[in-house]
Amino acid sequence: MKRVVASTLGSLLACELALRLVGLGPWAPFADFAEVPPMSDPHPALGWVNRPGQHAFPGAPVFIAADGARGQASDSAADVGLYGGSYVFGYGLAEDQVVSVQLADRRPDLAVRNHGVPGYGTLQSQALEASVGAEAVVVYGLIDLHDARNAGAWSWLAGLERASRGQAWVQSPAAWWDGEALQYGEPTGYRHWELSESVALVALVERSV
């Protein structure tokens, strides 16, 4: 019996070491977000929204107006509203590199507002646009990742948690087709197994499950 226990423990230890050697270590938050300031606040329907104010994003300071749009607010109503995720928002970009600023520079006759929110998919962007509803033209920045976000895929929710840096309120709404109509669900999130923080084998089992 002791040999069986010792053999089992030895096998588990070998698996643990092998997983770590190939880069499949324990659960950990995304290291790339360690220096990024929190720029979002919770929202009961959308999951989260941009947090107004000046944010010291590394190498690219970000200003978010009172209405949640990136950039300084304008006294005039916007002609064009941009919606989408981090690409539209300009995540990691300096102000003059953001698509809304580039568009405004090329078309000074148009008032452009950037309503992009990092992490948003089609579902959240559509709901946000409905609440703003002031632009004559709406442009949405679609990428392949939005499919998983709209459906509340486990891979997306797990990744969202790793990027949230302990903000337990970060949750995402989802929609699905029931065969007859599109159904909408309340924002939900994912919480990783506590033991996966220290044991790579548990983290692997969790991903498999």
Side-chain angles (χ1 to χ4, degrees), residues 4 31 52 63 73 79 92 97 100-101 107-108 119 123 133 142 156 173-174 186 198 206-207:
V4 173
F63 180 81
D79 299 304
Q97 298 174 316
S100 52
V101 176
R107 290 294 304 272
L123 194 63
L142 174 68
W156 164 239
E186 297 295 325
S198 53
E206 179 182 10
R207 288 194 292 271

Side-chain angles (χ1 to χ4, degrees), residues 57-131:
F57 197 100
V62 172
F63 180 81
I64 298 175
D67 63 352
R70 180 168 184 179
Q72 299 289 342
S74 173
D75 293 334
S76 60
D79 299 304
V80 179
L82 305 184
Y83 294 82
S86 55
Y87 282 80
V88 171
F89 177 83
Y91 192 86
L93 298 180
E95 200 69 26
D96 61 349
Q97 298 174 316
V98 179
V99 63
S100 52
V101 176
Q102 298 265 341
L103 176 59
D105 287 344
R106 286 164 173 75
R107 290 294 304 272
D109 58 312
L110 297 176
V112 182
R113 292 297 281 157
N114 186 340
H115 297 285
V117 180
Y120 266 26
T122 316
L123 194 63
Q124 291 159 298
S125 297
Q126 181 184 38
L128 179 61
E129 189 277 329
S131 68

Side-chain angles (χ1 to χ4, degrees), residues 140-153:
Y140 174 64
L142 174 68
I143 61 174
D144 290 344
L145 293 175
H146 291 180
D147 287 343
R149 296 177 184 182
N150 296 336

